[in-house]
């Protein structure tokens, strides 16, 4: 008994002693060489520490080893790593299969050496870093499956030899760099038949898309948007029948979109917007039953919409704006498009009425029909679109604006409503029309411009507490600007240009809450419209769908407004555009305008303003446009300010104004007189400004050469030098490693 117990204890004790050993052999200690490679990699990084301190590197964060203690995975995405990537250290991790260093701040280039020994690498993700330089001559290994180098600063063309080892490559993403040269479209012919995903977007690739993609029999996603591609749509792409997405927007491609596209039966996304494609929309496009996103806007397509499109029951977005399409759309039957959320047919030549069948597309969020030749009235059935958030019907031949507003005010989800330019000569929907008004509660943008609407600015507008953009320019509005306009809590863009508005500039307008104080970051309006609201002025799509990017604006120009520009205007610190031209404003230009530090456009021309131009205007550093012509201004144009950089036309028609940029010189004593008369304390500013100016210019020159000079040197001399050295180093390296390998082989033998 006792002996047995003793034995048991002894065994237990032995087990206890051996325990750490058993554990550690299971965890397979990392190899000494691997550890030193990793340490040397870590040593080139600055903050934050990787905490790689223990002996066993296989247990370090981000590291995975195989049975034998070779490091197989190095995964450190989004770790805030900064510093130069060290090619020498990583090159020694010869068993690496997965390398993911994406979303860090690494810089440096991928030298050929870096790739030379990583010949087991399967996955390489270096996206979202600051890496630069040209691509190495070849992929690291024939096992490579995924290469993501997107969102870096790589440049140069992709070497033709690059894909020689790419037989297993399925995914290649180099978007958002500055690559040049041709898109390597023959990639599947010679090297990589297994490709599923190719992304060349947002680079400066040019030339046409050479044939070859048709051989990518497994290709699912092909993106090359936002490059300088030209030429025709490659014919053989219609042979790549696995394609689910083709995205080529923002290029200069032209020619027809062939009906052969019906071969791509898996296609769900087809984005060809912002190109020069012409001819008809393929007649049988609608046979592609999986289509979800069809984006053809800003091309030169013509002819009618193929009825077959109405068979694409999976369609989510149909965007055909800004083409030359025509035909009666009332005949189209939208009733089967139950997934449709966005329909954009703006800026075409469509005729007919709004198709009644459209009202059964219950998912619709955005309808853009502006700038066509449509007619008729808005029907109450439109209210069955419960998600409708964006409606643009401007510039057609619709009638009955009041009727339309009375219907649409009950559309609870509406955020943007554009009814400009087609209700020629009707009355402004008045307060009598809109009795018991409590509609439009979510409306952020209202466009009633260019309709010759007569009447006053109606009070019901004061109930639109979410209104941010109000356009009523180009009408026949009479009466004063109501003071309640200044109380709309979210309003930051007002255009009342070209009406017959009278009365004074209401002081209350200078209290518009959105223009008073810098918003707290979290309040920044991230709202995005479903479609862009000013399509014809804008080539920058993404920009103008975001509400936040619209400039803060007060445009009261071309009216009959009288009196002074109120000094309270200085409170509107966030105002970017103030246009008061062609009114009857009198008095002086208030000094307080210089408080509008964000002002970019100031137009005061064609009024009766007198006195001097306050030199404090020089503090408006963002001013890009300034016009004070055709007033009664006098005295010198403040010198040494950016006011001098504007054209003389900004000052013309003020006979008593003098000094550069006007040709007439100022007479010294008279100048100071005029200056003193208006603003005593401004003389000082005058004296100092030339020096301030000189220092600014000097600073600019020094800064320019500091930054750009070194860049220029970088790109020419240093570049040539490093290329030479790199070549030399690479050659030496190859020679040495060959030696070592042959030595290893001899030892083994
Ligand atoms: C990489 O390996 C070579 C040869 O085995 C060695 O000379 C070098 O020191 C190693 N580099 C690092 C960083 O471990
Ligand atoms: C290293 O340890 C510090 C302190 O524990 C920690 O703040 C930091 O996030 C760690 N670094 C990494 C990469 O895990
Ligand atoms: C790299 O890591 C990030 C973050 O975990 C992940 O989203 C990404 O898919 C990884 N890359 C690859 C190619 O697996
Ligand atoms: C592709 O990778 C597999 C291992 O994943 C490998 O066996 C094969 O040799 C590779 N193909 C080629 C052509 O190199
Ligand atoms: C390529 O990478 C970018 C990020 O840089 C990403 O937005 C894009 O979706 C990727 N392309 C594909 C086809 O996955
Ligand atoms: C493009 O790359 C830069 C640099 O990595 C990055 O900051 C930016 O977010 C990327 N843009 C997109 C759209 O992914
Ligand atoms: C598409 O493939 C067929 C047969 O696979 C071939 O005959 C034809 O030439 C290809 N088309 C193009 C444009 O390459
Ligand atoms: C379309 O597909 C058929 C077979 O599905 C094929 O014979 C034909 O060559 C393809 N046409 C084109 C233009 O790729
Ligand atoms: C729509 O599909 C139906 C059958 O699903 C077919 O009969 C009809 O011809 C198609 N219409 C068009 C215009 O292609
Ligand atoms: C619309 O058609 C007219 C002729 O009816 C033509 O002059 C005009 O250029 C067309 N507009 C567009 C945008 O296609
Ligand atoms: C305008 O529309 C309203 C509402 O649909 C309707 O009641 C009215 O009769 C219409 N007026 C005219 C002149 O068609
Ligand atoms: C749109 O504007 C943004 C911000 O100004 C800019 O970064 C981007 O390159 C522009 N896009 C195009 C297509 O011009």
């Amino acid at each position: 008994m006792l002996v047995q117990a003793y034995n048991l204890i002894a065994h237990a004790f032995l087990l206890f002693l051996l325990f750490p050993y058993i554990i550690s052999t299971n965890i397979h200690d990392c190899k000494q060489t691997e550890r030193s490679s990793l340490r040397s990699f870590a040593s080139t990084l600055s903050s934050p520490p990787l905490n790689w301190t223990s002996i066993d590197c296989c247990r370090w964060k981000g590291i995975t080893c195989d049975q034998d203690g070779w490091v197989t995975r190095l995964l450190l995405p989004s770790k805030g790593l900064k510093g130069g990537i060290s090619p020498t250290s990583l090159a020694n991790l010869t068993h690496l299969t997965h390398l993911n260093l994406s979303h860090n701040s690494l810089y440096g280039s991928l030298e050929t050496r870096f790739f030379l020994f990583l010949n087991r690498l399967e996955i390489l993700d270096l996206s979202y870093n600051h890496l630069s330089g040209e691509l190495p001559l070849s992929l690291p290994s024939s096992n490579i499956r995924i290469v993501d180098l997107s969102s870096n600063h790589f440049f140069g063309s992709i070497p033709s030899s690059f894909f020689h080892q790419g037989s297993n490559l399925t995914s290649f993403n180099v978007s958002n760099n500055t690559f040049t040269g041709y898109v390597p479209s023959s990639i599947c012919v010679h090297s990589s038949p297994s490709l599923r995903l190719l992304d060349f977007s947002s680079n400066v690739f040019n030339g046409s898309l050479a044939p070859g993609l048709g051989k990518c029999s497994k290709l699912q996603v092909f993106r090359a948007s936002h490059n300088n591609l030209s030429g025709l749509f490659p014919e053989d792409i219609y042979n790549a029948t696995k394609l689910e997405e083709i995205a080529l927007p923002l290029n200069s491609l032209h020619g027809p979109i062939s009906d052969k596209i019906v071969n791509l039966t898996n296609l769900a996304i087809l984005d060809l917007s912002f190109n020069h494609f012409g001819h008809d929309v393929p007649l049988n496009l609608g046979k592609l039953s999986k289509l979800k996103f069809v984006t053809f806007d800003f091309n030169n397509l013509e002819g009618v919409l193929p009825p077959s499109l109405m068979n694409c029951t999976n369609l989510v977005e149909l965007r055909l704006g800004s083409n030359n399409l025509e035909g009666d759309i009332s005949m189209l039957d939208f009733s089967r498009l139950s997934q449709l959320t966005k329909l954009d047919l703006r800026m075409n030549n469509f005729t007919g009425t709004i198709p009644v069948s459209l009202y059964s597309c219950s998912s619709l969020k955005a309808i853009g029909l502006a700038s066509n030749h449509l007619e008729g009235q808005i029907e109450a059935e439109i209210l069955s679109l419960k998600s409708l958030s964006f409606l643009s019907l401007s510039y057609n031949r619709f009638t009955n604006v009041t009727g339309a507003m009375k219907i649409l005010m009950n559309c609870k989800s509406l955020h943007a409503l554009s009814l400009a330019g087609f209700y020629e000569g009707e009355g402004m929907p008045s307060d009598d029309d809109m009795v018991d008004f409590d509609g439009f509660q979510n409306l952020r943008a209202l466009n009633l411009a260019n309709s010759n609407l007569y009447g006053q600015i109606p009070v019901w507008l004061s109930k639109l507490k979410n209104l941010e953009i109000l356009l009523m320019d180009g009408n026949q509005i009479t009466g004063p600007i109501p003071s309640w306009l200044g109380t709309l809590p979210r309003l930051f863009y007002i255009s009342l240009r070209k009406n017959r508005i009278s009365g004074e500039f209401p002081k209350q307008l200078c209290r518009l809450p959105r223009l008073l104080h810098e918003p707290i970051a979290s309040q920044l309006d991230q709202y995005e419209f479903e479609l862009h609201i000013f399509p014809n002025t804008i080539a920058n799509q993404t920009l103008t769908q975001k509400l936040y990017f619209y400039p803060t604006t007060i445009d009261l120009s071309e009216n009959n407004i009288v009196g002074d520009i109120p000094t309270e205007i200085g409170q509107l610190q966030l105002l970017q555009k103030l246009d008061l031209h062609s009114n009857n404003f009198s008095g002086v230009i208030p000094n307080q305008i210089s408080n509008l530090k964000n002002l970019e456009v100031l137009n005061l021309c064609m009024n009766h303003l007198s006195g001097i131009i306050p030199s404090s205007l020089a503090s408006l550093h963002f001013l890009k446009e300034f016009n004070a012509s055709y007033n009664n201004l006098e005295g010198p144009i403040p010198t040494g300010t950016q006011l001098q950089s504007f054209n003389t036309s900004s000052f013309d028609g003020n006979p008593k104004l003098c000094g550069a940029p006007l040709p007439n010189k100022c007479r010294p004593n008279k100048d100071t007189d005029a200056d003193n008369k208006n603003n005593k304390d401004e003389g000082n500013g005058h004296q100092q400004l030339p020096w301030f100016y000189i220092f600014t210019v000097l600073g600019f020159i020094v800064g320019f050469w500091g930054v750009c000079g070194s860049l220029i040197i970088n790109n020419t001399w240093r570049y040539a030098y490093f290329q030479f050295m790199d070549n030399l180093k690479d050659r030496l390296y190859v020679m040495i490693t060959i030696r070592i390998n042959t030595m290893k082989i001899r030892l083994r033998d």
Side-chain angles (χ1 to χ4, degrees), residues 7 61 71 85 88 106 124 154 163 170 228 245 324 421 449 468 538 543 554 563 592 598-599 603 697:
N7 258 343
K61 197 168 186 180
V71 173
I85 194 164
T88 43
L106 302 172
L124 174 65
F154 291 112
F163 298 101
T170 60
N228 294 334
E245 173 179 347
N324 300 320
E468 305 187 53
I538 275 78
L543 185 92
I554 294 180
Q592 286 79 355
N598 293 289
L599 210 58
N603 193 344
V697 170

Side-chain angles (χ1 to χ4, degrees), residues 571-587:
Q571 296 164 9
L572 299 174
Q573 286 190 48
L574 300 182
L575 194 62
Q576 287 168 294
K577 191 174 167 189
L578 178 62
D579 196 339
L580 303 179
H581 86 263
S582 303
N583 275 291
N584 292 321
F585 283 107
S586 53

Side-chain angles (χ1 to χ4, degrees), residues 36-37 40 89 92:
S36 70
S37 295
S40 116
S89 59
N92 274 10

Side-chain angles (χ1 to χ4, degrees), residues 422-471:
F422 51 90
Y423 301 102
E424 289 291 318
E426 295 186 25
M428 173 72 69
S430 67
D431 293 308
D432 290 340
D433 294 320
M434 313 287 270
V435 278
D436 299 330
F437 175 82
D438 71 340
F440 289 134
Q441 284 312 299
N442 290 305
L443 202 62
R444 293 164 177 266
L446 177 61
N447 184 356
L448 291 175
N450 298 322
S451 300
N452 281 321
L453 297 174
Y454 56 85
Q456 300 212 354
I457 298 176
V459 180
W460 58 265
L461 281 175
S462 67
K463 296 186 187 163
L464 304 185
K465 298 298 180 205
N466 285 304
L467 198 65
E468 305 187 53
I469 296 179
L470 176 62
L471 303 174

Side-chain angles (χ1 to χ4, degrees), residues 722-737:
F722 279 125
Q723 276 240 312
F724 173 70
M725 290 306 284
D726 267 5
N727 271 336
L728 199 68
K729 275 187 287 179
D730 284 347
R731 270 159 208 232
L732 282 175
Y733 208 78
V734 174
M735 274 166 57
I736 291 170
T737 44

